[in-house]
């Protein structure tokens, strides 16, 4: 039976069909939905980890137990999990271990565009790359077998347009696996240098064997023959563009098992055509392998080095022309940007309004609150990677000098703090930082769609689970000044910040209020405008709320959107804004 | 390869993904191949969102190039205008007459929502159909019906699929409680298409 599925859903389906026992990971677009679909299968244990490294390590433990495990993350998540990822390559597996890296060419929702095919190569693990939704299903399923056969973790490398593509799949039944047990094997699993040196040879052997397999596999690395004039080697989402444009006039080789690359097969294919192209997104990964064999190939010089491919770009690469042309000219249409914004009622808004008004130096982090960096709040001075706000605030505060030292705060979301902020805070304590860390405690991982985290007190299925208390946690690592504030009370925010910034010790402020979107919170009555009192100063408009429009300089409240948080009411000096009385 | 391309655009939270899903299910119901591409994540916080849908005997890739769409269905006027250049010269636009002012136009002096936006759309795409989808949805008693009304309007001259394919898709996608209203909304869409 044919079914319509999202790529991420098909990965979950494939994992289930392949007999997976366990799924873990940390949310991150475009990978998040994989575990959210996998948790729907009752016979699989699925759980969010506090970060990717932990998720990876639990999965390795499951693999040692003889069971199959799936761990998912976005591309930058693999940086966090890189330590166990690289070393687990030396250990190999017991039960199959598949790690999903969801890359984001074009940076739709990421801070960088790294191509994690290079990480699979560096870690010397097997890598597979689906090009559409049906391949998401069967490649995930088969990846577990590859993992066990070649004794390697397998990187399932996806990209946004594969993860978030909906297409037709042909679901199959779940396979029955023979039972496996944990086997004590010190030389394999204890990576003492002496053991690791031995394992290093196994890794090399594995790659050799897997390359031989790839060289012979029509299933993983199929060739679509059409003449010998033009040949194209491609992989992942790029295959679709190539096939659509060239299947009538070129021979096409699709590589599904992309580490190790099937060098022999590629070479034979190259020799069978007069002119060879490589079409791949981001880094010239396949191209460089061909060039290293001395093969003449056209590829990266014909396309942008950044961003996604599409039919137009690939047609220009391969045919030197564009058959689809833009005929409607929009250059004279003044179309405003529509950037994402903090929701009406969001508990982050008041905080950033005060940071801005106090002129603080704000070392920010990643989450919904990163929107505090854009117009009109513009009160975040850095955002690098998850957890970085803490260490960066410490560093900037120590060496910033006048106007910076003593005026620096780190700002981090609660999920991000559990992910990788705690170690930074420990550094602040033991190295005597005097900076202030603000933890925005909205009880959810909001940015990626409201997943529970260790502070939520709920698991993926909505069952109660132990809740880590942020106050206790900060105190336990040695912070003496820990205060909880109401992020809707602007005066309180300002007061506490002023005191803590003056303090000669590290301080933590926990701004505590549940995510209005995730918990469906209605805060209060809608706000109304008294035009007679309004001086058109624009302060309310500069809190950046979708519910506040503007006409002739006066604010106009959209009652359907207003959540009644009162931030605009508090910034209004002439008291022209007030909550509507209940009628 | 004969592939029909449908571009959907609007503002995060308007139900664009649901429309796309119904359309894709209708294609599947007809036994056709379909690929749909969408972006989740950051864009959902009030930003603009789009969804590419491609239907045919066999559909190898999922993104519609600019200038390549046979249909554009927009849930909001400015998002209709923004994506108008995706249309082929003979392509058809179906756009809901709704205005959602983006935050940025509140902040830039003189950059308010373009007042003559309807004329501008019609001048650039004379065959565009502007529909009071919100009004019709309110008449039906459920504002969420906008997406089905727009689909209905689009289905009117969409020869690739039968009406029954859409109806089956609606019955698959929605619970028995909501489906009847959706079917009604679909009819209203056809009437206004
Ligand atoms: C290493 C890494 N993993 C995952 C992500 C994706 N991501 C960005 S922010 C975020 C969490 C945000 O949650 P929180 O800190 O609670 O802030 P909120 O969005 O709730 O305001 C996630 C999962 C990422 N950018 N980097």
């Amino acid at each position: 039976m044919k079914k319509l599925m999202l790529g991420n859903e098909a990965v979950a389906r494939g994992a289930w069909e392949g007999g997976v026992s366990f799924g873990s990971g940390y949310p991150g677009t475009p990978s998040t939905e994989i575990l959210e679909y996998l948790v729907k299968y009752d016979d699989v244990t699925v759980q969010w980890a506090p970060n990717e490294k932990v998720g990876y390590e639990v999965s390795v433990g499951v693999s040692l137990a003889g069971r199959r495990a799936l761990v998912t993350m976005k591309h930058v998540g693999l940086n966090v999990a890189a330590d166990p990822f690289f070393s687990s390559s030396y250990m190999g597996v017991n039960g199959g271990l598949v790690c999903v890296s969801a890359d984001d060419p074009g940076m739709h929702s990421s801070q960088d565009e790294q191509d994690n095919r290079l990480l699979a190569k560096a870690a010397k693990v097997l890598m597979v790359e689906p090009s559409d939704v049906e391949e998401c299903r069967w490649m995930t399923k088969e990846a577990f077998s590859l993992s066990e056969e070649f004794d390697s973790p397998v990187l399932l490398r996806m990209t946004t347009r594969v993860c978030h593509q909906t297409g037709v799949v042909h679901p199959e039944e779940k396979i029955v696996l023979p039972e496996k047990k944990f086997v004590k094997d010190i030389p394999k699993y204890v990576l003492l240098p002496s053991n690791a040196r031995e394992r290093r040879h196994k890794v090399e052997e594995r790659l050799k064997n897997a390359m031989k397999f790839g060289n012979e596999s029509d299933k993983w690395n199929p060739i679509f023959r059409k003449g010998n004039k033009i040949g194209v080697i491609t992989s992942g989402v790029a295959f679709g563009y190539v096939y659509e444009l060239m299947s009538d006039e070129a021979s096409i080789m699709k590589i599904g098992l992309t580490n190790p690359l099937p060098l022999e097969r590629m070479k034979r294919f190259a020799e069978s055509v007069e002119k060879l192209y490589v079409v791949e997104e981001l880094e010239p990964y396949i191209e460089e392998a061909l060039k290293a064999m001395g093969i003449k190939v056209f590829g990266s010089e014909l396309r942008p080095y950044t961003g996604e491919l599409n039919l137009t770009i690939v047609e220009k690469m391969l045919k030197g022309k564009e058959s689809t042309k833009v005929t409607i000219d929009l250059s004279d249409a003044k179309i405003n940007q529509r950037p994402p914004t903090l929701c009406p009622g969001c508990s982050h808004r008041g905080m950033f309004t005060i940071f801005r008004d106090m002129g603080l130096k704000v070392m920010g982090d990643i989450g919904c609150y990163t929107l505090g960096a854009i117009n009109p709040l513009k009160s975040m001075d850095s955002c690098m990677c998850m957890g970085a706000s803490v260490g960066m605030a410490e560093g900037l505060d120590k060496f910033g000098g006048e106007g910076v030292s003593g005026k620096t705060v780190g700002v981090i979301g609660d999920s991000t703090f559990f992910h990788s902020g705690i170690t930074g805070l420990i550094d602040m304590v033991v190295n005597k930082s005097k900076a202030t860390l603000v933890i925005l405690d909205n009880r959810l991982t909001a940015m990626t769609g409201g997943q529970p985290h260790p502070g939520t007190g709920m698991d993926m299925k909505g069952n109660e689970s132990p809740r880590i208390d942020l106050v206790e946690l900060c105190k336990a690592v040695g912070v003496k000044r820990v205060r909880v504030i109401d992020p809707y009370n602007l005066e309180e925010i300002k007061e506490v910040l002023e005191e803590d910034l003056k303090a000669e010790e590290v301080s933590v402020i926990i701004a505590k209020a549940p995510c209005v979107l995730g918990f469906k919170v209605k805060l209060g009555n809608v706000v109304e405008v008294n035009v007679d009192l309004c001086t058109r100063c624009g302060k309310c408009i500069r809190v950046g709320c979708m519910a506040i429009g503007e006409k002739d300089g006066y604010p106009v409240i959209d009652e359907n959107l207003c959540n009644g948080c009162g931030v605009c009411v508090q910034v209004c000096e002439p008291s022209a804004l007030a909550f509507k009385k209940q009628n | 390869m004969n592939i029909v391309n449908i571009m959907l655009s609007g503002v995060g939270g308007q139900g664009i993904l649901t429309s796309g899903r119904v359309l894709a299910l209708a294609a599947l119901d007809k036994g056709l191949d379909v690929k749909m591409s969408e972006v989740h994540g950051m864009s959902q916080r009030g930003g603009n969102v789009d969804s590419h849908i491609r239907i045919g005997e066999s559909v190898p890739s999922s993104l519609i190039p600019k200038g390549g769409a046979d249909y554009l269905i927009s849930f909001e006027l400015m998002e209709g205008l923004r994506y108008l250049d995706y249309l082929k010269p003979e392509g058809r636009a179906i756009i809901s007459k709704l205005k959602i002012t983006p935050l940025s136009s509140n902040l830039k002096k003189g950059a308010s929502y373009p007042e003559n936006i309807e004329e501008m759309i019609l001048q650039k795409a004379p065959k565009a159909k502007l529909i009071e989808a919100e009004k019709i949805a309110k008449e039906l008693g459920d504002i969420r019906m906008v997406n089905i009304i727009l689909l209905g309007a689009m289905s009117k001259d969409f020869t690739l699929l039968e009406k029954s394919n859409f109806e089956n898709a609606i019955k698959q996608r929605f619970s028995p409680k909501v489906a009847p209203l959706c079917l009604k909304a679909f009819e209203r869409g056809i009437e206004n298409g």
Side-chain angles (χ1 to χ4, degrees), chain A residues 166 244 332 338 341 446, chain B residues 36 45 54 61 79 104 124:
Chain A
T166 298
E244 186 164 334
D332 63 330
R338 196 186 290 278
T341 46
Chain B
M36 175 163 110
R45 301 275 176 277
R54 311 189 69 216
S61 74
E79 297 316 319
S104 63
K124 291 183 186 298

Side-chain angles (χ1 to χ4, degrees), chain A residues 34-35 136 151 213 279 285 308 323 393 429 461 500 561:
Chain A
I34 299 173
L35 292 188
C136 285
D151 198 12
F213 170 81
V279 181
Y285 169 76
E308 302 182 298
S323 53
V429 171
K461 290 199 157 152
D500 278 3
L561 291 179

